[in-house]
Amino acid sequence: MSANKDRLALIELLSSIGGEHSEDLRETLDRVAAAIATGMEAEVCSLYLFDPQRERIVLRATVGLDRESVGKVSMRLNEGLVGLVLEKDEPVCVPDAISHPRYKYFPETGEERFHTFLGVPVHDHDGRKKPLGVLVAQTLERRKFNKSEIRLLNTAANQVAQILSHFRLRESLATKEKERLEYRRRMIEANRQLKDYEKVGGKTRHAPPAKIRRPRLPGLSASPGFAQGSAHIVGAFLSSVDRNQKSRDPKAELKRFEDALARSLAELATLRVRMEPLMPEADLKIFDGHRMILEDEEFVGRIRDTIANGYAAESALFRVIEELSTSMLAVADNYLRERATDFRDVGHRLLRHLRQEEKRAPFTKPTIIVAEELTLSQLMLASHDKLTGIALQSGGVTSHAAILARAFEIPTVVGVEHLMESVVEGDQLVLDGNSGVVYVNPGAEIERDYVSLSKRYEAFKRELIEEGNAPTATRDGHRVMMLANIALLADIQMALRYGAEGVGLLRSEFSFLTYEDFPDETQQVALYGKMLEMLGKRPITIRTLDIGADKYPAYMRVPREDNPFLGWRSIRISLEMPGLFKVQLRAILRAAAKHDVRIMFPMISSLEELRRAKELLAESQAELFKEGLEHNPNIEVGIMVEVPSAVWLAPRLAREVDFFSIGTNDLIQYLLAADRNNRKVAHLYEALHPAVISAIAEVVNVARAADKEVCLCGEMASDPLATLLLVGMGLDELSLSPLFIPVVRKVIREVDYQTARLIARETLQMASVQEIKGYLVERYRDLGLINLVEMYR
Ligand code: PEP
Ligand code: MG
């Protein structure tokens, strides 16, 4: 094929496949096979899909072979030319198939007439998994397929994968919806029975039916505190829309849509202004991105057309978003996948306005928002007085919504499985943001317990905060610096409110995750500048990028790794991408021109790594100097000690740095060989393990002997039960999540330094976690501090 003809064939083929969707998968695949056969000028086109349950490859669609054999012909993975394609995971082209040793003849297909075989794997859209199946073209004539024909069939295979994923998505939505309805039906029935049971006193007349359980829904604590209130479901979620709902009056529907569109645009503009002080410029761009989608003629035009074709506005919206996001999700491109999320977010906003949710009466009683996920804009409801808590089915502790909830101090639990099925509007909820649990209609007893727990917690918090921000010191005046771990700009406000004396760990990668591409030097200087401005004269330690493992920006190509935590992460990435790394180093040096900024390298495991990082830092300094750009030429340099080799090398590393910061989160996982994110080994992941404690003691001693500063910035620093041990070991800088500063500060203020020293000395003699924990609990009890610990554990 000539290049032009080639391109034409491709365009024709793709556009004919694009229009082949119907409601029925089998019919769609048959039509697609026919289109491909025509485009490829082949007599046969067949699709074989792998059935993981049967471990066989099954013929699912064909033109050219006997259609009766569809669903019947199947083979094992190591059989036939089709099996060979799957095995090799690459195109297989055989001009004379019958004489190939892997040829397997299926008389029911009637394929003996076809000589040439070309098979290409059909990959799932993320392109990383094993192929889903094989797309085959066969011809009567013996011939060789050329490169562009193979490319053409490959492209067609991608289209087929998209169609399959579209159907799978629909199927899974339908199944989920069914499961959701069934679960909800059972919960409503259980609640009804429970109420009946309570009506008769819950005493002797009936025992509660066995299947009734008062739902206790565990999740993850995203923002601490206790909340009680009635459930308000926020969820103008597209999945709740009937995609087939027709309208009798398209004109009226169109008007409804135009109104919703106008209100959505106005809302975005207001939100942007309101969020400006809380978010860096780069994050604010999300609002601009959403506005651009709403102003996009193609997008809006498609919705208008679908309404004109007789669909209700909600259904039209659903259909267009579904279509767009399916095709975007189907490509192995992270950028487009992120855009799919933006389209869905915009869809949710439009839907909310179509349903006029914003006109609902404001909350009149204490309310807990319950949602599958919460967008930033929905969280703006948070300014409402009566909003006491947030429970989310999805979302991680580090999602934007969770971060803002913490900044607003709204008790929040995220990642609550079955939340949406278990809760109906108006249910009474108790939310425990400290332990990360939601109780649904828990009954008077639990509610009473929580009221008193909540009162105690609030009084305690008030008291701690009121104790003021005077420097933290033991009773006899031994000073301990209380610094904050922060991720985003919004965290700084909270850090200051809770009395942080500065920032001991800025996890710079979190801001990077929110950009659309690696932020350039100017963007980074602006970001750090905004943070420094908020911190005033307080010091900050900026950690260079610690991406990898569980933190990859969407715009980065991610290699698949069997052991990502032992793989390409953190400083290893930075050193391999010196261009990008130097952009960050230069930005930090520039931001440090007039502020108290230290720089810290994560995950250092050897002297070579440290030296190379320092070399790049020196190069960056020299460049800035040459360019006449203001910067700090004497910035203090430190490393995270979070890999066991760094503990062993501490005496040598200490000679080449200004400070250490002990990262227990990683140090524990590497020392104890227990993945920090794996629930199954959570019981093995233990900060109070004797090996962890002696590693910390070792690093502190080395730092002190070398007269270098040493800080501890892992989560262990927020555990009040560990505080006296850490202080007693000689740690006089702790960097922790701001919320825990008041309680840790309180513990320190209640004891003499000698007591802490003694506790550390004795603990270091112990050989088991149990012994250490038991000892600490006893000592805290003697010191009258155990209630502080229990409040947070
Ligand atoms: C640590 O590992 O202890 C640490 C503070 O870093 P992170 O949690 O960001 O890996
Ligand atoms: Mg770490």
Side-chain angles (χ1 to χ4, degrees), residues 651 654 698-708 710:
E698 172 67 19
V699 177
V700 174
N701 291 341
V702 168
R704 304 213 133 255
D707 203 17
K708 299 288 158 91
V710 55

Side-chain angles (χ1 to χ4, degrees), residues 52 221 229 259 399 478 483 524 573:
S221 153
D259 287 349
S399 71
H478 177 84
L483 302 166
Q524 288 189 51
I573 297 184

Side-chain angles (χ1 to χ4, degrees), residues 24-230:
D24 180 75
L25 176 61
R26 166 108 191 248
E27 194 185 308
T28 304
L29 292 178
D30 281 347
R31 281 201 227 158
V32 167
I36 298 173
T38 315
M40 294 285 299
E41 293 172 10
E43 283 78 21
V44 175
C45 175
S46 315
L47 176 68
Y48 296 81
L49 292 179
F50 178 58
D51 177 346
Q53 258 147 24
R54 290 168 59 202
E55 298 221 324
R56 291 184 81 79
I57 319 163
V58 187
L59 177 65
R60 285 291 172 210
T62 187
V63 284
L65 299 185
D66 189 337
R67 290 172 54 82
E68 289 296 305
S69 58
V70 171
K72 293 186 192 132
V73 163
S74 73
M75 64 205 90
R76 288 202 306 273
L77 277 174
N78 56 0
E79 281 181 337
L81 289 167
V82 172
L84 188 64
V85 177
L86 268 191
E87 232 171 70
K88 293 175 94 167
D89 196 8
E90 62 183 33
V92 169
C93 183
V94 184
D96 192 6
I98 301 171
S99 53
H100 193 281
R102 277 292 289 262
Y103 180 75
K104 182 169 163 83
Y105 177 50
F106 292 96
E108 56 273 52
T109 61
E111 69 176 331
E112 62 278 11
R113 297 174 290 135
F114 304 107
H115 288 286
T116 305
F117 171 99
L118 170 62
V120 298
V122 178
H123 279 111
D124 208 349
H125 55 71
D126 73 0
R128 277 186 280 144
K129 290 191 204 112
K130 283 290 254 181
L132 299 171
V134 178
L135 188 62
V136 173
Q138 286 171 283
T139 59
L140 279 171
E141 182 196 4
R142 259 188 205 85
R143 60 180 264 216
K144 231 176 148 266
F145 284 104
N146 63 26
K147 268 195 192 142
S148 47
E149 285 168 314
I150 298 175
R151 219 173 25 241
L152 192 60
L153 194 63
N154 256 329
T155 315
N158 282 340
Q159 294 286 105
V160 169
Q162 283 192 29
I163 292 171
L164 291 172
S165 98
H166 172 88
F167 273 91
R168 246 196 342 253
L169 191 77
R170 268 185 33 194
E171 211 172 282
S172 96
L173 282 179
T175 319
K176 273 211 185 102
E177 184 62 12
K178 239 199 240 149
E179 277 174 14
R180 195 176 71 82
L181 289 175
E182 174 56 15
Y183 191 80
R184 177 171 272 192
R185 193 192 58 69
R186 279 197 280 118
M187 292 313 303
I188 291 172
E189 173 61 10
N191 276 331
R192 192 188 58 70
Q193 291 186 33
L194 183 60
K195 280 197 183 117
D196 286 352
Y197 166 68
E198 278 171 348
K199 253 188 241 152
V200 294
K203 289 180 190 137
T204 45
R205 281 178 59 192
H206 304 288
K211 66 176 177 178
I212 294 181
R213 262 175 281 118
R214 300 174 189 230
R216 177 187 182 277
L217 304 170
L220 304 166
S221 153
S223 176
F226 301 97
Q228 245 189 315
S230 59

